[in-house]
Amino acid sequence: MEINKVLDAKGLACPMPIVRTKKAMDTLESGQILEVQVTDKGALADLTAWTVAAGHTLLDHKEEADVLTFYIKKS
Amino acid sequence: MTINKMTAAQVARKVIEKQPLFILDVRNTDAYEDWKIEGQNFEYLNIPYFELLDGVDEILPKLPSNQDVLVVCAKEGSSKMIAEMLSDAGRDVFYLEGGMKSWSSYLEPIKVGDLTGGGELYQFVRLGKGCLSYMVISEGEAAVIDAVRFTDIFTNFAKEKNAEIKYVFDTHLHADHISGGRHIAEATGATYYLPPKDADEVVFEYMPLEDDVTVKVGASQIEVGALYSPGHTIGSTSFIVDSKYLLTGDILFIDSIGRPDLAGLAEDWVGDLRETLYHRYRELAEDLIVLPAHFMIIQELNEDGTVAKRLGDLFAQNHGLNIESEEEFRHTVTDNLPPQPNAYQQIRQVNMGKVTPDQDEQIEMEIGPNRCAVR
């Protein structure tokens, strides 16, 4: 998987992870992939739901050592 | 326009006084549908905050201008952001300080009544989760029953009343919320009682709460007497306070009865639940005022915010006490049960002392309603 941009949103509390993710997505082209790293547990449900609402595709997510990583493909 | 914060205490007053409030809940739809701030005259709009990042214009027409609008989220951050956007758009709105996290934690102490010789009985209403705790106070001494985990609230309240907490009881091993009982006892030197039949696996010292155990509180010797009443759990025990109040734990609620499946198999304890509700409680005086450990719906609150009703009235009105056929009763309390409380297995482990989660983990475990009843 080719990552086009990485967003480090670790340590940020809700709503900032999503606000930053949205801004980062706005800079990408359709079909490009954003990697987002967050530590806020609430981001799992919110980022998943936001991705659907915004029409993007959540390709994968993983949790390692308290860091949640998401891979989102722009619509 | 202005943005103001509203505290959980202020929201609690609105719930109890049945005031109107418009709640804009900006959490995920799943979270909102699972659990929200309930008020009899509240109106709601649920739109997740992340759908409003491009602007709030589309929801402006849906927000009333003639009543308070409160923006609510899980922890506060998102509600504050949306409140600021609404304010920029020219609206006066509030956000909930601390979000649903603080709503879940808020306790409103309300006096239930006077006891013999100047004693008092208080109910601590946890509106967000529907938990009810109790304090019996009599001339310098206090007993606490079914305390939730915010131990400071109880120890400070007793201090204000110049009472020393001498006895701490749990009616059963709770599965929906983390008990504060053991910790209050440790902090105050009080004796902590727990029904031994629920305590097989607990890893701390406790006094066995057996049938007929009676303590006397304060100079006027107010009686708090135990009555074995199994069914929700096999150890579930009720209390009769001052021959006037019946604390039913999770066995009997105002508009529902306890579910028998949170600590094992429902089938095993159906008979016990039936025996308690249809025989043991029937032998008691109908004028006893029932004080349960939970409420499920906001309509169970009395005018003053207490959750209390005469036992005789419950025999007449509570559906769970009026199922004649044993077969139908069995069906009602074992089939089609509502979902179990959030993290109930973990919460039981915490209450046994087997695991010690940190503050954030405790908050996470206690998210959502209590779900201890079946109707």
Side-chain angles (χ1 to χ4, degrees):
Chain A
M1 174 160 53
E2 191 198 331
I3 313 290
N4 300 95
K5 192 180 176 81
V6 177
L7 171 68
D8 179 0
K10 293 197 291 288
L12 296 177
C14 185
M16 290 324 289
I18 291 209
V19 171
R20 295 275 175 88
T21 301
K22 184 181 180 300
K23 279 191 180 146
M25 285 304 266
D26 288 345
T27 68
L28 295 186
E29 304 287 328
S30 176
Q32 290 190 317
I33 296 171
L34 175 71
E35 176 181 326
V36 186
Q37 302 158 356
V38 300
T39 47
D40 182 10
K41 289 263 156 44
L44 178 55
D46 289 2
L47 259 175
T48 307
W50 172 77
T51 306
V52 174
H56 306 307
T57 311
L58 181 59
L59 299 173
D60 197 10
H61 75 88
K62 60 181 182 189
E63 184 173 359
E64 276 168 12
D66 287 339
V67 178
L68 290 161
T69 307
F70 299 85
Y71 301 95
I72 307 168
K73 186 177 175 183
K74 181 157 175 166
S75 65
Chain B
M1 295 304 253
T2 53
I3 149 168
N4 304 295
K5 73 178 174 201
M6 197 180 282
T7 62
Q10 289 170 311
V11 178
R13 288 324 306 169
K14 288 189 182 286
V15 173
I16 291 166
E17 288 163 15
K18 298 188 175 65
Q19 292 175 25
L21 181 66
F22 189 94
I23 293 183
L24 171 61
D25 195 319
V26 296
R27 292 174 300 151
N28 250 308
T29 305
D30 290 353
Y32 168 78
E33 281 172 0
D34 189 48
W35 176 53
K36 65 178 189 292
I37 301 178
E38 304 285 351
Q40 291 200 51
N41 290 310
F42 289 7
E43 288 175 71
Y44 305 90
L45 176 64
N46 169 232
I47 296 190
Y49 68 94
F50 46 80
E51 291 179 19
L52 298 170
L53 295 179
D54 284 328
V56 292
D57 290 352
E58 56 169 306
I59 60 165
L60 289 178
K62 296 178 186 167
L63 304 179
S65 45
N66 57 351
Q67 59 174 300
D68 288 346
V69 173
L70 176 68
V71 190
V72 172
C73 72
K75 292 177 201 159
E76 177 181 297
S78 308
S79 61
K80 216 169 163 180
M81 176 182 75
I82 300 299
E84 275 161 10
M85 292 168 78
L86 288 167
S87 168
D88 290 345
R91 304 297 285 262
D92 281 326
V93 290
F94 294 84
Y95 68 91
L96 175 61
E97 184 182 41
M100 289 301 280
K101 191 173 122 181
S102 74
W103 179 241
S104 173
S105 308
Y106 182 73
L107 294 188
E108 176 90 13
I110 307 176
K111 185 168 162 179
V112 176
D114 291 316
L115 302 172
T116 308
E120 295 176 305
L121 178 58
Y122 282 87
Q123 185 176 57
F124 292 73
V125 185
R126 186 178 179 184
L127 285 164
K129 204 170 165 67
C131 298
L132 304 166
S133 308
Y134 296 91
M135 193 182 291
V136 175
I137 302 173
S138 164
E139 291 167 67
E141 290 188 1
V144 180
I145 298 118
D146 285 333
V148 292
R149 67 185 163 85
F150 316 107
T151 55
D152 291 356
I153 305 273
F154 299 96
T155 52
N156 290 338
F157 194 84
K159 231 175 261 170
E160 276 172 35
K161 296 277 175 186
N162 294 315
E164 189 188 339
I165 299 175
K166 300 283 278 188
Y167 310 100
V168 179
F169 301 98
D170 268 320
T171 53
H172 62 290
L173 190 87
H174 298 283
D176 65 291
H177 67 273
I178 297 169
S179 168
R182 177 166 49 109
H183 304 288
I184 291 173
E186 278 166 12
T188 59
T191 310
Y192 178 46
Y193 288 84
L194 192 62
K197 287 182 178 169
D198 280 2
D200 275 354
E201 297 177 57
V202 308
V203 299
F204 47 80
E205 296 289 311
Y206 65 92
M207 278 290 276
L209 177 59
E210 311 266 14
D211 195 27
D212 281 339
V213 163
T214 301
V215 301
K216 294 185 173 172
V217 184
S220 50
Q221 296 283 285
I222 289 176
E223 275 197 6
V224 178
L227 175 80
Y228 181 50
S229 55
H232 173 63
T233 63
I234 191 61
S236 289
T237 300
S238 307
F239 289 97
I240 295 177
V241 176
D242 202 22
S243 307
K244 209 168 154 189
Y245 295 98
L246 174 65
L247 276 60
T248 53
D250 284 9
I251 288 292
L252 174 61
F253 305 112
I254 301 301
D255 192 39
S256 54
I257 57 175
R259 61 193 287 172
D261 67 315
L262 296 182
L265 290 171
E267 285 76 18
D268 296 347
W269 296 339
V270 175
D272 293 304
L273 187 62
R274 177 99 186 161
E275 172 67 23
T276 294
L277 292 175
Y278 286 74
H279 300 285
R280 276 222 103 160
Y281 279 1
R282 278 279 173 190
E283 291 161 13
L284 303 174
E286 293 208 337
D287 279 335
L288 285 169
I289 302 295
V290 169
L291 298 169
H294 289 297
F295 68 90
M296 312 302 145
I297 49 171
I298 205 75
Q299 285 76 11
E300 289 174 285
L301 266 61
N302 296 328
E303 288 293 312
D304 61 357
T306 59
V307 179
K309 205 164 195 178
R310 205 178 144 267
L311 180 61
D313 293 348
L314 293 188
F315 281 135
Q317 294 160 14
N318 187 315
H319 170 254
L321 293 176
N322 287 286
I323 305 173
E324 255 181 58
S325 134
E326 287 200 26
E327 202 41 52
E328 197 193 323
F329 182 81
R330 177 173 295 272
H331 170 75
T332 303
V333 301
T334 59
D335 300 333
N336 308 317
L337 287 170
Q340 282 132 341
N342 186 47
Y344 76 106
Q345 300 281 26
Q346 282 171 289
I347 289 173
R348 294 187 70 244
Q349 299 285 316
V350 178
N351 287 336
M352 290 175 195
K354 287 179 165 179
V355 287
T356 311
D358 66 30
Q359 206 57 1
D360 283 349
E361 289 167 329
Q362 294 187 25
I363 291 166
E364 203 63 33
M365 283 181 195
E366 288 195 335
I367 279 176
N370 65 71
R371 299 207 172 109
C372 288
V374 47
R375 196 174 179 280

